[in-house]
Amino acid sequence: MLRLFVNRRQKMVEFEVKNKDLLARIGRLKTKSGIVETPAFLPVINMAKQSVTPRELWEEFGCRILITNAYIIKKQHADKALNMGIHSFLDFPGTIMTDSGAYQILAYGDIEATPDEIIKFQEEIDTDIATILDLPTGWAVSKERAEYTVRETVNRAGKLQELRSRNDILWVGPIQGGRYLDLVAKSARKMSRIQFDIHALGSPTPVMEQYLFDLLVDMIFAAKMNLPFNRPFHLFGAGHPFMFALAVALGCDLFDSAAYNIFAQDDRYLTTYGTVHLKELEYLPCSCPVCYKRDAQDFREMPKRERETELTRHNLHVCFAEIKRIKQAIREGRLWEHLMRRTHGHPSLLQAMKRLKDYCEFIERHSPVVKKSGLFFFSSIDLARPEVIRHDKKLRERYTPPEKAKVLVLYPSVGPRRTLRSKLYKRALADICEKLRIDHSEAQVCFYIPPFGVVPKELSDVYPLSQFEIVCPPDADTIRYVAQRIIDYLREKRYERRVMIIKSGTWQEEIAQICKEAFEKEGKFLEFLIV
Ligand SMILES: [Zn+2]
């Protein structure tokens, strides 16, 4: 599958998407220093505090892209970087992205460089991916201030085309607006009209530091839903491997973090479920090359400098391994399952996962229709899965029961293909027709299936209506969802008789009860047959 975005200057921004799942994509982004496979984690390089060098990142970790701060380099090593070029200066042959100093504006109020100088400097040091000097919104600011930062960033972005002199550098257009979602959307709409190659969500760091991942979900969607979908998207400062899966699933192709380094300086050990202080560790829950021969005590006994380096290396291994797991999950079409595992690692992440319900239709529109593997359903959170949303939509909009179907038989199932093969089903169906005195040819079987709702028998081979596993009995919200789908179906489609089959003492009774109450209220008729 080739997705090519061509901007108006006919400079090709090549971003080829190989695999997709949810809004995530395994892609190949072409830069002048090589092709970068996405999703990619970009370690932040700060030469003053670096215990693992860029060369080691390249050789030992297979890191192909990193990010450093153009403003800090300009301030501290301008001549050297200009003479050597950024690749020699850092000693890194891969792709280098540079940030512009916006974070320093946020931290210190202002910086000693103009937006024009920052654009020029990034071209002169020969970076591969450059960022305009945007004006970050920050966190605790008024709406007026936020609006000003959006406007000012768009103004600065508008000047890029006049100022840039090279065509081989990819430019990043940051989206501002902070926690004001309408402003994020506005910023995205305005920035998308400017010829950027990549967009980024600006200043989400405070949101992540406070674990407001549900707000982060809102911010990312406000941006993504108003940007050209195929343009790569970067999330600044997506610090921790426990949230990489969430970021990728929401369509973040690139994200950077200095956490691997900063945390190591403070004896903090990264895992995919959170951060642990070294002094709290009795066992090392990791088998990376740093940890597999050691225990926590070995770490504690190391001299400070060595410990910091080794912890940094461990933290990097955890980050890169998680990216590989995410990519494999995308390949298998199991990113949702991976996301469920990760988000159950922390309540604030699970809260963010629940927020996906608000965006389920957008996710559905961009998610692949067919996958290689079956689906696992764990709880009502899975009701936001694109496959569940898609089935409901198709049934409502495109399905008409066969004309000769006069009697609807609603039959319970947790896997229609299995049900159809079972002797119990065949016998039960014959019994039902006899008991109700109905002709086989006039009866239409529809299964009621958690979490999908109503599935007409003739659709039971459509993916994934028979390719899934679910926890039984389903939880209360899933039961309510299925019952509501039955009620909606019965309201919309015409049958002379409707019969619901229930096995007593099971979850089916609860569904039947909800349907019965709804229909009694409407004065309609639904028969129940208990088997
Ligand atoms: Zn390790």
Side-chain angles (χ1 to χ4, degrees), residues 326-345:
I326 292 168
K327 282 187 191 164
Q328 184 60 26
I330 297 171
R331 286 277 301 181
E332 291 172 359
R334 290 188 165 276
L335 185 58
W336 185 279
E337 282 84 349
H338 184 69
L339 198 51
M340 283 294 270
R341 273 194 294 274
R342 285 294 177 258
T343 53
H344 277 76

Side-chain angles (χ1 to χ4, degrees), residues 269 286-291 314 317-318:
Y269 185 95
C286 178
S287 52
C288 81
V290 182
C291 299
H314 155 81
H317 280 298
V318 174

Side-chain angles (χ1 to χ4, degrees), residues 308-477:
E308 194 180 307
T309 305
E310 290 303 272
L311 268 178
T312 303
R313 290 176 64 229
H314 155 81
N315 288 349
L316 281 165
H317 280 298
V318 174
C319 293
F320 285 115
E322 177 61 2
I323 296 293
K324 285 184 197 165
R325 265 183 226 115
I326 292 168
K327 282 187 191 164
Q328 184 60 26
I330 297 171
R331 286 277 301 181
E332 291 172 359
R334 290 188 165 276
L335 185 58
W336 185 279
E337 282 84 349
H338 184 69
L339 198 51
M340 283 294 270
R341 273 194 294 274
R342 285 294 177 258
T343 53
H344 277 76
H346 196 283
S348 59
L349 280 174
L350 194 59
Q351 201 165 312
M353 182 87 193
K354 286 188 170 183
R355 191 60 68 91
L356 299 191
K357 186 165 84 234
D358 297 352
Y359 306 98
C360 59
E361 285 179 15
F362 182 77
I363 300 174
E364 187 274 321
R365 276 205 299 283
H366 293 282
S367 296
V369 174
V370 177
K371 294 177 168 183
K372 286 184 198 157
S373 51
L375 314 178
F376 289 169
F377 293 105
F378 303 100
S379 74
S380 59
I381 295 172
D382 299 314
L383 295 172
R385 273 193 91 138
E387 294 83 2
V388 176
I389 303 298
R390 187 173 295 142
H391 172 70
D392 180 49
K393 206 162 108 186
K394 275 192 187 164
L395 197 71
R396 270 189 289 120
E397 291 170 4
R398 297 199 214 152
Y399 180 75
T400 315
E403 240 170 64
K404 60 180 181 179
K406 296 203 163 50
V407 182
L408 168 68
V409 177
L410 281 164
Y411 196 94
S413 175
V414 281
R417 206 183 275 169
R418 276 197 304 271
T419 305
L420 282 168
R421 277 200 302 261
S422 74
K423 281 186 191 145
L424 187 73
Y425 166 76
K426 285 171 195 154
R427 210 170 45 230
L429 196 66
D431 284 356
I432 291 157
C433 288
E434 202 187 311
K435 240 183 232 173
L436 299 172
R437 298 203 182 124
I438 52 176
D439 194 299
H440 242 294
S441 64
E442 291 184 335
Q444 188 204 1
V445 173
C446 284
F447 296 108
Y448 61 100
I449 303 176
F452 293 105
V454 177
V455 175
K457 188 181 115 187
E458 65 268 29
L459 299 183
S460 52
D461 266 336
V462 173
Y463 181 87
L465 303 172
S466 274
Q467 293 87 354
F468 72 94
E469 301 280 341
I470 184 162
V471 179
C472 258
D475 63 18
D477 282 347

Side-chain angles (χ1 to χ4, degrees), residues 278 284 293-303 306-307:
L278 205 53
L284 295 180
K293 274 193 203 157
R294 293 191 171 107
D295 58 31
Q297 191 59 26
D298 296 333
F299 265 106
R300 285 192 286 266
E301 285 167 4
M302 278 178 204
E306 187 190 346
R307 187 167 69 240

